[in-house]
Amino acid sequence: MASASIPVYNSSNNPLENSSSHNASRESLKMEPLADCSLLPGEERIIDKDIIYICPFSGALKGKVFITNYRLYFKSADADPAVTLDVPLGAIGRVEKMGGASSRGENSYGLDITCKDMRNLRFALKQEGHSRRDIFDILFKYAFPLSHGLLLFAYLSQEKFEENGWSVYKPMEEFRRQGLPNDKWRVTFINANYELCDTYPTILVVPFKATEEDLRKVCTFRSRGRIPVLSWIHRENQAVICRCSQPLVGMSGKRNKDDERYLDLIREANGTAKLTIYDARPSVNAVANKATGGGYEGDDAYQNAELVFLDIHNIHVMRESLKKLKDIVYPNVEESHWLSSLESTHWLEHIKLVISGAIQVADKISGGNSVVVHCSDGWDRTAQLTSLAMLMLDSHYRTLRGFQVLLEKEWIGFGHKFANRIGHGDKNHADQDRSPIFVQFIDCVWQMTKQFPTAFEFNERLLVTILDHLFSCRFGTFLFNCERARDTNELRSKTVSLWSLVNFSPPSRSLQELRSKTVSLWSLVNFSPPSRSLQELRSKTVSLWSLVNSDLSFYQNPFYTPESNRVLYPVASMRHLELWVTYYIRWNPRIRQQQQSPVEQRYIELLALRDEYLKKLEELQLSDSSPNSSHLSNSSTPNAASPTQHITHLHTPF
Amino acid sequence: MFDGRVLLKQVILLFWPLISTWVQGAEKIDSCQLQVLEMLSSLGSAGGKSAKPSFVSYVTPEEIKSEKEPSRKEKHPDLLPGEVVFCSASTVLKYTQDDLSQRGVFGVLLCTNFRVSFVSDEEPTEEMVRTLFKNKLYGENDIPLSCVDNIYGDKRKLITGGLVKNKYPSKMIIHCKDLRVFQFSLSFSKEEDAKKIFQGIVHHCLEPKSLRCLFAFSYCENTSPNRKCVGGLFTKLLRKKQTVMFDSVEDWTQDMKRTKGNCRVVSENSNFELSPKLPQYFIVPKNVSDEDLTKYQGKGLPMWCWSHHSGCALFKTASIPLVQEDNVCCRMLTAVAHNHLYSVKTEDLSDTLPTVQDILLSYNKFKQFFLIDNTTEFWMSDMKWFSSLDNCGWLDIIRQCLQKAVEVVESLEKENTNVLIMEEGGSDLCCVVSSLVQLMLDPYYRTLLGFQSLVQKEWVAGGHAFLDRSNHLHLKDKVESQSPVFLLFLECVWQLQQQHGPAFQFSETYLTVLSDSVHVPVFTTFLFNNDGHRDSLLRAESPHTQRSPLNCPTVWDWSVQFDCKAQDLFTNPLYTEKPKQDTSVRKSYRPRHLRQLSLPSSAFKTPPKKGFFKDEADNLKKILGVKRLSRWMLSPSSDSPQTSSSVREFYEAWQTKPLDYHGLLLPCLDGPSIRVWMQRYLRWIHDVQILGGGPVAMLSKVSEILGEVQELQRQLDRHGCTLTSNHKGARPRAKTAAAVIAARSSVRLSSSFPFVTSRNWAFKPAIPTSLLQSLMVTGMPGNLADREDDGGPESLV
């Protein structure tokens, strides 16, 4: 974070103003240190302390740290430009004491904080008088509230947004959009009380011919009762993507007639000759799973199916891979043999495998063949594959709201274990259940947006915001492992959805905020996302989607060109995959953050210029009232999607 | 008659090097010769439009399958003026994909004095006919002879010149210098034809030849120089002002005035009296005397490159062998130092940058990653892509050159000292570094004309040995001197452009096309080793001896290769011209101000850096002693970390200031920032083309809106409305830009645009073969790869 804030604001056209306002803020800092950090509704200050932040980029910085029940905030006292840190406590993965009372050397006594968002923080304190004890205890308690019998901040937040982000996704509406139910597929409420499968959502779509009794029987043969259910159907050829967990074949190679018949019903539904089953795992692992009672669909048992292994590794491999990536990018980018180091992390290689798996799924569906996707339990790799394939196939999911629906449906609804994978509020940093599966998925989405810069309505900022709030615990969106747990904990009534923020339309926003958004929001997001949220909070208050939706234009890609029936096939070659520098290396001030923006900036400038000219022309024509004026205005109206017009459209509620 | 034709064919094949002169001086004309003459003269007189000569007659009747006869007659490319077919073979199969699938098209393979050409038997589809971005000199199935890189036979055996006698492979793979790969099967052709075409191609592409045989000479003899097209944004841009060629005293004087330099223009070499290796005109420090000029044929003369507004300047020189100890070196250094504040830093690039051989070796490894003739191997190599890229070192060489340029920029900009870069020969890395420095410091060179003038100044007039470095002639004794130094420069420019798009008036496509043009042996720009060489050859080859030299086009005459619409793709839609008033501000007060400031700083305050540079300002007199000369000339390269950290500081300081696209530009040199020039290297590889995607998807939207804005401006102008706009540059040309867009929007673009546009796209996505086999996740604690995602057996239901 160490945001040497001046460089990033550079892209603005008025550097003078920036520096002067900056000076002003420094003046006020001496009197009222937390003045520029307004608290969220429900946020409370716990402790302030003079401290030294050992910034990996600018060295040791004296300043003051403030800890609230939501964040850690640091502001340097003497550095110019002032360095600030604004870290949601949810992003903290580990707090350790560094050095002892007798440690020698400057700044050797203090705290070492490991964050989940690709950075580490080091603070040094005076060695006398156990000066770190209180701050360590408080940090430890509030960063890991669940380990201390406290509530996650999302339950304490009093934020309010105009839109309720929780209503972004309505399962029935989404199925209806896909043209379901129909004569081949029906909606079942068999899981209304989570009795069939406790990690599935309540509303499921299954083959029309399968009875509730059939479902119960199949349930016994699938790991954790996660039976094959429909995720997506192709409108024209009726090919479907079904998802499930592995069959419980075991060492003895058990068979289950009901399961076999059930898969055949899926195949029959659109007359596919062969059903393709994509097992996301490497075949070796699938075989090994037999020893623990799992396994895969054998040829002899499932004669009308072909099984394809996609060779994607498990959560442990991914965790280690990202750890290695962090090692080479934080705090400093590996200098010698950067590319070889990058390769040795295997991170992009894993990304490639996930994307190419999804391409195969999408390709099969486009060809009219139904597919079933599973891994071991069907909540990690399976979710990655189905949601990426759906993103390739269905342009609706490439819109801002469609993407929210996709996440709600395939990840949150179908029980990706966010609580375990992220470890919200949990002190056990070495928990083997943690893994950046969702981060990896968002990275895959980013790779797609990079390859198809005009195909997505949302931009990189949305993806970064989602990842920031994946950890922050400010919104309820990514909390808990499954729907059942969310119901038990009354999540939707007690917390706010991120989408409330994202979809919130801007009229209530102050002018100043709007200006800061147009000028430097990009940098804000990159360097200090929470400080951005602070600004917003003056006018806004509550669900991750509440946040997302409040800023529609901010998250919008100006180059977006809707193409409704187009299937996107990204190229899953290392030649085109690149490290998401603006996410993974965003804390490094040397990495210029504006990579993509000059094109965007120029485009927006030109759009504004066009509007200005159109207006002038209109005025001229009015005064002229010349005979050919109608012709002129006609020629210009077809392209009428300037940002300003966009915003006015957004005022109208959806 | 028939025998005569065969004879003729062989004569042309074997003695082509002599034919042009032979024909000219022919006294006795028999029937065969007559045919050649007719052929040549008909071509020659055709002038601008390439005529379709009717001499295909020496394809023997047996070759022609009777049913195909009518269409057969047309099976040759549209020949260029002065182009002659050497040999041809029919029913050659050109593979469309890789060697695993046997799909392909049949056609005629020809070898002319300009190119190897494949003419498909199939009628060209309409789609292919209206390709937007068509090179007028050669088509997508043509390979200019100098563009052939390597030829492989069966089992991918490298074919080298002399070895072939009577054998020919059934399959021939041609790797091109512009990274295209062609695969032909000769097994369906008549044995005689196959043998001849194979030997013909090998002979004309790989065997040594004389410079006179290059196509440029017969082309130029047969064309009239002015074939300008009318209209077109790009051509108008070019026509308004011309590229400065630096072939006259005025050009040099002008450039020095522009940069407010205060040096001496030398015209004593206008007839190459001083040395044929020196440029015809050049600039040296004021203090260089006449005696200095003549004494060593110009060896060791500091040549002025560019003056900084503070008064200090950049010079380059060919380093002098240390044997010449009569302190010419010191004299020259003193001369440089006198240019501004008596300060000078020297930098011997031979010590700190890779040699031309290193550059060649690295590039040869690098290019292999893109010469794909086998999709399976391509995907196999995909997993090791990053480390392979790393190991070949090409990106690192690019980084080193950029870093060196930043170091020089730092000395000029921050310390205001004169800089003298040197290198043996003084015309390779000196050209790279000096042109990069100028691109970073001087926005003029980031305009189209400015860039072209820069290449003229530093490379063409500067005496970069284009001919030796490209080894167009395949001379055995020049194999060593071959090296893609100019390409390296373009790579560096691309990196800058990639990082600071809006600062450049020209586009990525422009750079790619320029890099291709080096291998089209038509332009005088790239055919010679230096001014003297160019002058003597063009004079000698001129039909009007003793009058004017042969008039050949330069590469900057883009209308030779592309029509106006295609040329519009050379401009960058992100570029905006600098608002006028700023320049006057800069001119009026800044230089003087800085000059005053820099007086103490450059002489005393500059911390003595242990970098590549030796700050010799304060005690130059001591250094002038011969004793220390050697130490001084050979700067140690061991302390590079310190230099790079100083460069980093300089970069970071620059980065904190607001970015001005019309001011100083520095590249970020961190690992992730130096990238592969995707457009140039991946454009022909079908599997990695992103259909409907790539950066072009965004840029085309920008140009679309730019076209609209320009159109509106035009309409407003018609209404007599005065605008305060910064888009004046392109105002009246909206029509063409709009036309380009109209043409483009009908085609689905891919990441390879404009080089590959719409084709019969297989709707199948490319699915990487060979996936995980290579991904070894061994050596992890507890072998994580084998573990269960969530708990062990007990957690299973």
Side-chain angles (χ1 to χ4, degrees):
Chain A
M1 160 132 351
S3 70
S5 35
I6 290 304
V8 253
Y9 290 77
N10 268 344
S11 49
S12 76
N13 16 19
N14 200 343
L16 275 177
E17 190 179 286
N18 266 332
S19 58
S20 65
S21 69
H22 170 73
N23 284 339
S25 71
R26 274 200 66 216
E27 289 304 313
S28 58
L29 175 76
K30 281 166 192 160
M31 298 180 282
E32 178 50 68
L34 207 54
D36 59 338
C37 172
S38 56
L39 301 180
L40 296 174
E43 186 178 355
E44 279 165 22
R45 268 165 87 164
I46 313 271
I47 189 176
D48 304 355
K49 207 169 183 77
D50 287 322
I51 208 162
I52 296 165
Y53 167 49
I54 306 181
C55 175
F57 311 109
S58 5
L61 298 163
K62 277 187 188 152
K64 200 154 197 168
V65 70
F66 307 90
I67 292 167
T68 72
N69 53 355
Y70 172 67
R71 83 186 78 214
L72 178 156
Y73 186 85
F74 169 84
K75 182 141 191 171
S76 66
D78 46 24
D80 188 32
V83 171
T84 58
L85 282 175
D86 193 343
V87 189
L89 297 182
I92 292 176
R94 181 178 188 178
V95 185
E96 282 174 307
K97 290 176 182 164
M98 169 184 82
S102 56
S103 298
R104 306 211 166 214
E106 212 184 341
N107 300 330
S108 59
Y109 174 84
L111 298 176
D112 203 354
I113 297 171
T114 311
C115 293
K116 297 170 180 175
D117 57 1
M118 304 292 285
R119 57 182 156 162
N120 296 334
L121 309 172
R122 277 186 156 209
F123 292 104
L125 293 110
K126 286 187 304 240
Q127 254 153 311
E128 309 84 60
H130 305 290
S131 62
R132 71 177 167 200
R133 187 186 281 161
D134 50 351
I135 188 170
F136 175 82
D137 288 346
I138 281 167
L139 210 51
F140 201 71
K141 185 168 157 193
Y142 286 93
F144 312 119
L146 295 187
S147 305
H148 295 90
L150 298 174
L151 286 172
L152 291 169
F153 180 74
Y155 282 90
L156 303 169
S157 166
Q158 303 292 319
E159 284 189 82
K160 300 264 184 312
F161 288 93
E162 279 187 4
E163 184 182 319
N164 180 4
W166 293 122
S167 55
V168 160
Y169 172 58
K170 298 204 179 72
M172 282 308 289
E173 252 173 46
E174 168 57 17
F175 283 128
R176 239 174 267 135
R177 186 190 68 84
Q178 293 185 24
L180 296 167
N182 60 20
D183 57 346
K184 301 285 186 196
W185 295 90
R186 68 183 179 90
V187 173
T188 174
F189 299 95
I190 189 172
N191 203 38
N193 296 316
Y194 306 107
E195 278 160 355
L196 184 78
C197 171
D198 60 356
T199 57
Y200 262 9
T202 52
I203 297 172
L204 300 170
V205 172
V206 295
F208 193 84
K209 288 186 181 163
T211 63
E212 308 289 80
E213 192 44 42
D214 291 339
L215 301 180
R216 287 201 184 85
K217 284 179 184 159
V218 174
C219 183
T220 62
F221 194 63
R222 289 280 163 178
S223 171
R224 301 176 202 268
R226 294 171 67 94
I227 62 167
V229 293
L230 181 145
S231 260
W232 190 79
I233 186 163
H234 192 287
R235 272 202 179 261
E236 272 93 56
N237 64 31
Q238 298 287 303
V240 297
I241 300 177
C242 288
R243 56 181 293 170
C244 58
S245 60
Q246 62 180 340
L248 298 175
V249 174
M251 287 302 268
S252 56
K254 268 184 298 203
R255 288 181 57 168
N256 181 307
K257 284 277 176 245
D258 299 298
D259 192 70
E260 290 161 25
R261 208 177 69 85
Y262 184 78
L263 287 195
D264 218 41
L265 288 177
I266 295 174
R267 179 190 63 79
E268 263 177 36
N270 81 331
T272 306
K274 248 196 171 26
L275 179 73
T276 307
I277 301 170
Y278 285 105
D279 188 327
R281 302 167 291 184
S283 57
V284 193
N285 295 44
V287 173
N289 260 288
K290 284 188 171 182
T292 55
Y296 54 91
E297 293 84 354
D299 289 344
D300 42 346
Y302 300 83
Q303 294 199 338
N304 292 326
E306 57 165 344
L307 183 68
V308 178
F309 292 105
L310 293 177
D311 296 335
I312 301 167
H313 272 291
N314 65 26
I315 62 165
H316 311 293
V317 174
M318 303 308 177
R319 183 181 56 237
E320 292 310 309
S321 176
L322 190 62
K323 211 175 265 173
K324 279 188 194 163
L325 182 63
K326 186 174 175 178
D327 287 346
I328 65 161
V329 300
Y330 191 91
N332 291 309
V333 178
E334 181 83 30
E335 285 204 22
S336 59
H337 299 289
W338 156 252
L339 289 169
S340 299
S341 314
L342 181 61
E343 185 178 279
S344 70
T345 69
H346 295 294
W347 182 252
L348 286 174
E349 229 163 306
H350 295 308
I351 297 273
K352 169 186 165 150
L353 285 164
V354 173
I355 293 179
S356 75
I359 291 173
Q360 292 177 62
V361 173
D363 184 40
K364 264 282 182 287
I365 295 288
S366 296
N369 290 286
S370 290
V371 304
V372 169
V373 183
H374 71 72
C375 44
S376 293
D377 292 308
W379 51 42
D380 293 309
R381 289 167 273 199
T382 303
Q384 289 180 331
L385 290 167
T386 56
S387 50
L388 282 173
M390 286 155 73
L391 212 50
M392 292 171 197
L393 290 162
D394 191 338
S395 58
H396 174 66
Y397 297 126
R398 306 197 283 259
T399 64
L400 229 163
R401 283 178 178 263
F403 188 63
Q404 297 168 19
V405 169
L406 183 72
L407 296 188
E408 285 283 346
K409 179 175 148 60
E410 288 301 300
W411 289 87
I412 297 163
F414 274 105
H416 172 67
K417 303 208 298 177
F418 282 107
N420 290 31
R421 296 289 176 259
I422 307 302
H424 292 129
D426 179 54
K427 66 175 180 182
N428 186 5
H429 61 82
D431 187 352
Q432 295 294 297
D433 258 1
R434 293 198 185 171
S435 183
I437 300 300
F438 187 73
V439 175
Q440 189 175 52
F441 161 73
I442 294 291
D443 193 334
C444 293
V445 175
W446 179 82
Q447 302 284 352
M448 280 183 73
T449 61
K450 198 81 185 148
Q451 292 194 15
F452 298 99
T454 59
F456 293 83
E457 193 192 6
F458 54 87
N459 57 23
E460 190 177 13
R461 284 172 215 124
L462 178 75
L463 300 179
V464 173
T465 302
I466 287 174
L467 289 184
D468 281 336
H469 292 294
L470 171 68
F471 304 121
S472 78
C473 295
R474 180 175 149 198
F475 299 99
T477 304
F478 297 119
L479 301 183
F480 299 106
N481 284 335
C482 56
E483 294 294 4
R484 187 185 173 181
R486 285 179 200 109
D487 283 0
T488 319
N489 291 287
E490 298 168 277
L491 180 85
R492 290 194 169 85
S493 57
K494 291 191 169 168
T495 71
V496 178
S497 156
L498 171 62
W499 314 131
S500 309
L501 178 71
V502 170
N503 298 333
F504 179 72
S505 43
S508 68
R509 198 183 294 151
S510 72
L511 263 178
Q512 190 219 344
E513 271 177 329
L514 266 176
R515 225 175 97 243
S516 74
K517 300 234 154 165
T518 48
V519 177
S520 60
L521 270 180
W522 178 227
S523 34
L524 276 172
V525 161
N526 268 307
F527 268 64
S528 47
S531 80
R532 189 190 133 255
S533 53
L534 284 176
Q535 281 195 336
E536 281 153 13
L537 284 166
R538 287 183 208 134
S539 61
K540 280 167 254 152
T541 39
V542 182
S543 127
L544 175 56
W545 305 142
S546 312
L547 173 67
V548 172
N549 293 345
S550 67
D551 269 329
L552 273 185
S553 61
F554 175 61
Y555 296 112
Q556 241 154 10
N557 170 14
F559 295 104
Y560 176 54
T561 323
E563 278 184 277
S564 54
N565 283 319
R566 175 150 162 241
V567 183
L568 291 190
Y569 289 123
V571 175
S573 161
M574 301 307 270
R575 270 79 166 174
H576 279 305
L577 298 182
E578 47 183 300
L579 185 71
W580 187 5
V581 168
T582 42
Y583 178 70
Y584 298 114
I585 321 186
R586 62 179 160 156
W587 310 125
N588 188 329
R590 268 229 314 289
I591 300 291
R592 233 188 220 280
Q593 301 292 321
Q594 42 114 14
Q595 295 281 328
Q596 156 233 24
S597 65
V599 190
E600 202 175 308
Q601 217 175 306
R602 170 88 164 131
Y603 189 63
I604 289 167
E605 272 170 30
L606 283 171
L607 284 173
L609 204 60
R610 186 187 61 183
D611 288 351
E612 185 193 320
Y613 288 175
L614 276 173
K615 220 171 113 194
K616 268 199 187 134
L617 205 58
E618 230 165 76
E619 283 164 12
L620 281 172
Q621 280 159 8
L622 277 175
S623 59
D624 280 10
S625 68
S626 66
N628 58 347
S629 57
S630 62
H631 159 73
L632 283 173
S633 60
N634 267 349
S635 69
S636 45
T637 34
N639 338 276
S642 71
T644 45
Q645 278 159 324
H646 243 112
I647 289 174
T648 41
H649 285 314
L650 292 169
H651 287 237
T652 54
F654 281 80
Chain B
M1 186 59 194
F2 169 65
D3 286 346
R5 286 195 202 107
V6 173
L7 178 70
L8 171 67
K9 195 157 120 189
Q10 282 169 344
V11 164
I12 294 176
L13 191 78
L14 296 172
F15 297 110
W16 175 249
L18 300 171
I19 270 188
S20 53
T21 46
W22 170 58
V23 169
Q24 265 175 23
E27 292 164 26
K28 211 174 72 183
I29 296 172
D30 64 26
S31 63
C32 304
Q33 287 170 332
L34 189 64
Q35 216 169 4
V36 175
L37 276 181
E38 270 170 11
M39 206 159 78
L40 291 174
S41 63
S42 75
L43 289 168
S45 61
K49 289 270 175 177
S50 52
K52 288 187 181 175
S54 53
F55 61 92
V56 205
S57 48
Y58 57 63
V59 175
T60 56
E62 291 83 3
E63 287 175 289
I64 304 169
K65 287 173 192 151
S66 52
E67 74 275 9
K68 278 189 174 177
E69 194 157 8
S71 65
R72 285 293 300 191
K73 294 235 157 164
E74 300 301 316
K75 290 293 177 256
H76 55 71
D78 294 340
L79 294 180
L80 296 170
E83 187 175 3
V84 181
V85 176
F86 291 145
C87 51
S88 69
S90 53
T91 46
V92 171
L93 182 71
K94 173 181 167 274
Y95 294 101
T96 45
Q97 279 280 314
D98 58 309
D99 55 0
L100 298 178
S101 79
Q102 293 298 306
R103 286 186 296 144
V105 267
F106 281 101
V108 183
L109 189 62
L110 307 99
C111 179
T112 76
N113 57 343
F114 170 53
R115 61 186 143 180
V116 174
S117 180
F118 175 81
V119 183
S120 165
D121 287 346
E122 284 165 25
E123 292 300 314
T125 61
E126 203 178 307
E127 205 174 68
M128 283 156 90
V129 171
R130 47 173 280 264
T131 311
L132 175 70
F133 198 68
K134 207 176 144 199
N135 194 311
K136 292 199 266 182
L137 295 179
Y138 61 100
E140 56 173 352
N141 284 325
D142 297 333
I143 315 160
L145 296 182
S146 354
C147 186
V148 171
D149 196 6
N150 280 314
I151 301 177
Y152 298 90
D154 294 324
K155 292 174 191 158
R156 225 170 174 284
K157 186 169 167 265
L158 182 67
I159 309 285
T160 49
L163 289 171
V164 274
K165 282 271 142 53
N166 276 315
K167 281 190 245 167
Y168 69 94
S170 62
K171 186 173 173 183
M172 177 168 59
I173 303 175
I174 301 181
H175 286 182
C176 303
K177 287 179 180 163
D178 60 10
L179 302 150
R180 288 179 297 167
V181 173
F182 289 90
Q183 304 191 47
F184 298 110
S185 167
L186 301 176
S187 43
F188 305 95
S189 313
K190 281 186 59 183
E191 196 182 318
E192 189 75 355
D193 288 350
K195 198 196 296 175
K196 273 180 189 145
I197 191 74
F198 174 70
Q199 291 180 352
I201 289 173
V202 168
H203 176 82
H204 292 289
C205 297
L206 303 179
E207 307 259 302
K209 54 177 139 187
S210 88
L211 182 58
R212 283 174 183 78
C213 293
L214 287 183
F215 181 62
F217 295 98
S218 48
Y219 176 77
C220 300
E221 278 165 15
N222 291 290
T223 43
S224 48
N226 40 357
R227 283 157 281 97
K228 293 262 166 72
C229 62
V230 198
L233 196 143
F234 183 79
T235 33
K236 284 203 175 157
L237 202 70
L238 286 188
R239 194 189 291 174
K240 204 167 66 184
K241 288 186 220 152
Q242 289 290 326
T243 301
V244 185
M245 301 303 281
F246 290 91
D247 55 359
S248 66
V249 178
E250 293 75 42
D251 286 353
W252 285 97
T253 316
Q254 194 59 40
D255 201 54
M256 193 170 63
K257 270 190 190 156
R258 194 184 61 81
T259 58
K260 307 217 183 314
N262 186 24
C263 297
R264 167 186 175 183
V265 181
V266 178
S267 57
E268 277 82 348
N269 201 37
S270 62
N271 289 315
F272 307 101
E273 291 116 335
L274 293 177
S275 162
K277 290 191 171 167
L278 282 178
Q280 214 167 355
Y281 307 96
F282 53 92
I283 299 179
V284 294
K286 266 246 158 80
N287 281 32
V288 173
S289 65
D290 286 347
E291 190 198 344
D292 294 328
L293 282 179
T294 45
K295 202 166 179 185
Y296 304 105
Q297 289 90 46
K299 272 185 199 139
L301 271 183
M303 310 283 229
W304 173 87
C305 300
W306 185 79
S307 287
H308 187 256
H309 56 70
S310 65
C312 63
L314 173 65
F315 297 87
K316 63 180 174 187
T317 182
S319 46
I320 340 152
L322 288 170
V323 198
Q324 297 185 328
E325 287 207 343
D326 52 350
N327 68 24
V328 58
C329 194
C330 306
R331 295 244 308 279
M332 290 307 138
L333 268 162
T334 322
V336 171
H338 269 292
N339 181 60
H340 176 66
L341 290 176
Y342 213 64
S343 66
V344 61
K345 284 186 171 187
T346 62
E347 167 63 15
D348 192 339
L349 300 177
S350 320
D351 293 333
T352 51
L353 287 180
T355 64
V356 286
Q357 283 79 29
D358 294 338
I359 293 167
L360 176 69
L361 280 176
S362 172
Y363 182 70
N364 279 344
K365 283 188 218 155
F366 175 72
K367 75 182 178 194
Q368 291 306 327
F369 305 141
F370 311 98
L371 292 163
I372 304 302
D373 45 45
N374 181 328
T375 322
T376 321
E377 271 174 35
F378 173 77
W379 285 110
M380 292 278 274
S381 68
D382 204 42
M383 281 301 191
K384 291 275 158 235
W385 164 242
F386 288 118
S387 52
S388 319
L389 200 56
D390 212 0
N391 293 336
C392 82
W394 182 245
L395 293 185
D396 207 49
I397 291 178
I398 294 170
R399 181 180 289 115
Q400 288 178 49
C401 291
L402 284 168
Q403 171 158 339
K404 183 60 64 188
V406 176
E407 285 168 28
V408 175
V409 168
E410 187 183 2
S411 306
L412 292 167
E413 174 81 13
K414 199 170 124 193
E415 292 151 30
N416 299 147
T417 57
N418 297 301
V419 177
L420 176 67
I421 51 176
M422 58 178 84
E423 151 195 44
E424 203 194 324
S427 59
D428 290 301
L429 291 159
C430 274
C431 298
V432 175
V433 172
S434 71
S435 356
L436 286 175
V437 167
Q438 293 172 64
L439 271 170
M440 291 176 196
L441 281 162
D442 192 338
Y444 163 68
Y445 293 120
R446 296 175 219 140
T447 65
L448 242 155
L449 283 171
F451 182 73
Q452 300 189 158
S453 306
L454 179 67
V455 174
Q456 278 298 130
K457 178 167 87 168
E458 292 299 324
W459 295 81
V460 181
H464 175 66
F466 278 108
L467 185 68
D468 287 353
R469 292 291 174 244
S470 60
N471 199 15
H472 282 326
L473 307 178
H474 303 280
L475 302 176
K476 297 278 179 279
D477 58 333
K478 295 287 184 190
V479 172
E480 294 286 294
S481 56
Q482 200 175 334
S483 187
V485 180
F486 185 63
L487 175 67
L488 174 63
F489 163 64
L490 295 181
E491 281 264 19
C492 296
V493 177
W494 182 86
Q495 303 290 344
L496 276 168
Q497 195 201 42
Q498 202 58 21
Q499 294 186 19
H500 307 291
F504 292 84
Q505 194 182 21
F506 48 88
S507 66
E508 176 184 27
T509 304
Y510 170 84
L511 287 176
T512 307
V513 168
L514 183 56
S515 75
D516 289 345
S517 305
V518 174
H519 312 298
V520 183
V522 165
F523 311 108
T524 49
T525 318
F526 305 122
L527 287 185
F528 306 99
N529 283 334
N530 49 50
D531 272 355
H533 189 215
R534 178 177 301 104
D535 188 72
S536 65
L537 267 144
L538 290 180
R539 257 178 223 290
E541 285 302 307
S542 173
H544 329 280
T545 20
Q546 272 104 43
R547 271 190 289 163
S548 59
L550 189 62
N551 201 344
C552 285
T554 68
V555 72
W556 316 126
D557 188 356
W558 290 108
S559 62
V560 173
Q561 291 192 77
F562 296 96
D563 64 22
C564 314
K565 275 185 196 170
Q567 286 178 48
D568 285 345
L569 293 171
F570 292 171
T571 51
N572 174 10
L574 300 181
Y575 180 78
T576 45
E577 274 168 38
K578 185 173 186 164
K580 281 275 148 58
Q581 48 289 40
D582 282 23
T583 41
S584 60
V585 172
R586 176 177 172 253
K587 268 178 204 158
S588 60
Y589 85 100
R590 211 173 145 206
R592 223 171 295 144
H593 174 65
L594 275 183
R595 199 174 295 192
Q596 285 161 355
L597 270 186
S598 60
L599 205 138
S601 72
S602 59
F604 306 106
K605 265 189 359 196
T606 320
K609 259 192 292 163
K610 283 187 178 170
F612 297 131
F613 289 114
K614 300 289 160 198
D615 191 342
E616 311 295 351
D618 43 352
N619 53 356
L620 197 70
K621 276 180 193 161
K622 281 187 204 163
I623 295 148
L624 294 181
V626 186
K627 260 192 234 161
R628 287 190 58 192
L629 191 65
S630 62
R631 194 187 68 83
W632 171 35
M633 295 300 290
L634 303 167
S635 21
S637 54
S638 53
D639 44 9
S640 58
Q642 205 158 351
T643 315
S644 75
S645 79
S646 135
V647 164
R648 173 161 306 157
E649 271 168 37
F650 180 55
Y651 176 79
E652 279 172 5
W654 170 79
Q655 203 197 17
T656 55
K657 290 179 212 130
L659 179 59
D660 174 12
Y661 287 120
H662 297 283
L664 172 67
L665 277 193
L666 293 180
C668 178
L669 299 171
D670 279 331
S673 302
I674 303 293
R675 302 151 68 104
V676 174
W677 185 352
M678 293 297 186
Q679 187 193 51
R680 175 175 156 83
Y681 294 104
L682 295 184
R683 58 193 154 149
W684 314 116
I685 306 171
H686 181 268
D687 276 11
V688 293
Q689 279 173 24
I690 307 168
L691 182 56
V696 67
M698 262 188 304
L699 285 176
S700 66
K701 292 206 81 171
V702 175
S703 8
E704 203 174 306
I705 208 86
L706 184 62
E708 277 176 43
V709 166
Q710 287 165 352
E711 174 66 21
L712 284 168
Q713 258 167 349
R714 218 166 45 84
Q715 292 184 7
L716 284 169
D717 280 354
R718 225 190 282 142
H719 281 262
C721 180
T722 45
L723 292 167
T724 54
S725 126
N726 53 343
H727 295 272
K728 282 166 197 150
R731 198 189 299 174
R733 290 120 199 168
K735 253 253 160 82
T736 45
V740 173
I741 283 123
R744 267 192 256 174
S745 53
S746 63
V747 202
R748 175 158 285 185
L749 307 182
S750 80
S751 56
S752 303
F753 180 84
F755 296 96
V756 180
T757 43
S758 54
R759 284 286 167 88
N760 269 344
W761 287 97
F763 213 66
K764 282 270 166 201
I767 292 166
T769 48
S770 92
L771 283 178
L772 204 70
Q773 284 78 351
S774 63
L775 175 59
M776 295 306 290
V777 270
T778 49
M780 272 185 197
N783 211 356
L784 297 169
D786 301 338
R787 275 175 38 195
E788 272 300 295
D789 271 1
D790 291 281
E794 73 285 349
S795 61
L796 276 176
V797 178

